[in-house]
Amino acid sequence: MSVHTENSHEVIDEDKRDFIYIATGTVVAAGAAGLAWPLVMQMGKAADTLAAGAIEIDLSKVVEGQQLKMLWRGAPVFVRHRTAAEIAEAESVDVSDLKDPQTDDERLVPNPAGKLEPQYLVMVGVCTHFGCIPVAEQNKVKPQGEFGGWYCPCHGSHYDTSGRIRKGPAPKNLKIPPYEYISDTVIKVG
Ligand code: FES
């Protein structure tokens, strides 16, 4: 898949169907035949926000079961709209069994009303072992890993549907970037 950005001539080749890339400040057209990738437009942002390297993401544009991969300060950020089954799986885990114990709620950020939105999981998409980019399943088409979340093919780390390390050499859960809700559906990362 190739992703073309309007504000530059950048073309990102993407072998996998798991993600689309969205470059900051651009409208993205994804052209993979047979795929119904949505067009996703980032919300307008102030110059000082751009200067600080922050990105804004409209979560309402991410359909259930889909994951976006954004670029933030040179690193991928995964935005996953989890299904009810994925959330239930994440919440059912006994955290005392985890290498890096964290509840699913601890990996979420409250919206402006102070409520968690467990359907949206936002993480830095960098394996905590040696920094490869884990892959995810997409609409059950291509399951990755043994815990239904993400799998790092470099050395075989398995992350669950909350991005927590469950098996393999990675020492920590996938990191949650600093972010906040700036409206009911838009978050600012960075
Ligand atoms: S870099 Fe991911 S398992 Fe080694």
Side-chain angles (χ1 to χ4, degrees):
M1 181 173 75
S2 295
V3 176
H4 300 260
T5 65
E6 281 191 350
N7 291 354
S8 73
H9 298 294
E10 179 184 13
V11 176
I12 302 169
D13 289 323
E14 179 62 76
D15 292 328
K16 302 186 184 311
R17 293 182 175 183
D18 305 67
F19 313 112
I20 60 175
Y21 277 101
I22 300 173
T24 301
T26 64
V27 181
V28 172
L35 292 179
W37 294 123
L39 299 182
V40 182
M41 182 184 299
Q42 287 199 214
M43 308 295 285
K45 54 185 68 59
D48 57 345
T49 301
L50 285 172
I55 57 173
E56 296 174 7
I57 306 168
D58 187 347
L59 300 174
S60 68
K61 301 289 197 286
V62 189
V63 299
E64 184 176 301
Q66 188 184 47
Q67 175 174 289
L68 302 183
K69 182 159 57 175
M70 312 288 294
L71 293 177
W72 170 64
R73 296 180 183 171
V77 168
F78 295 165
V79 180
R80 174 84 181 178
H81 186 157
R82 299 186 294 183
T83 64
E86 290 170 337
I87 296 166
E89 171 68 25
E91 291 178 343
S92 70
V93 172
D94 182 351
V95 294
S96 64
D97 291 338
L98 299 177
K99 187 189 289 187
D100 182 11
Q102 252 187 332
T103 65
D104 191 57
D105 282 1
E106 287 172 336
R107 297 176 56 73
L108 304 172
V109 167
N111 66 14
K115 189 166 168 283
L116 296 178
E117 303 273 10
Q119 67 272 38
Y120 297 120
L121 181 64
V122 181
M123 305 183 297
V124 176
V126 175
C127 182
T128 59
H129 185 221
F130 284 139
C132 290
I133 299 176
V135 291
E137 73 178 90
Q138 180 73 37
N139 293 329
K140 305 295 180 189
V141 170
K142 191 173 55 174
Q144 298 287 354
E146 296 179 13
F147 296 88
W150 290 261
Y151 174 67
C152 182
C154 288
H155 312 97
S157 284
H158 300 249
Y159 297 90
D160 66 15
T161 59
S162 189
R164 296 171 297 203
I165 183 64
R166 301 293 296 276
K167 182 179 178 182
K172 306 288 281 183
N173 303 332
L174 293 177
K175 188 179 172 192
I176 306 301
Y179 76 93
E180 62 179 342
Y181 280 81
I182 57 175
S183 77
D184 286 346
T185 61
V186 177
I187 59 169
K188 184 176 81 171
V189 178

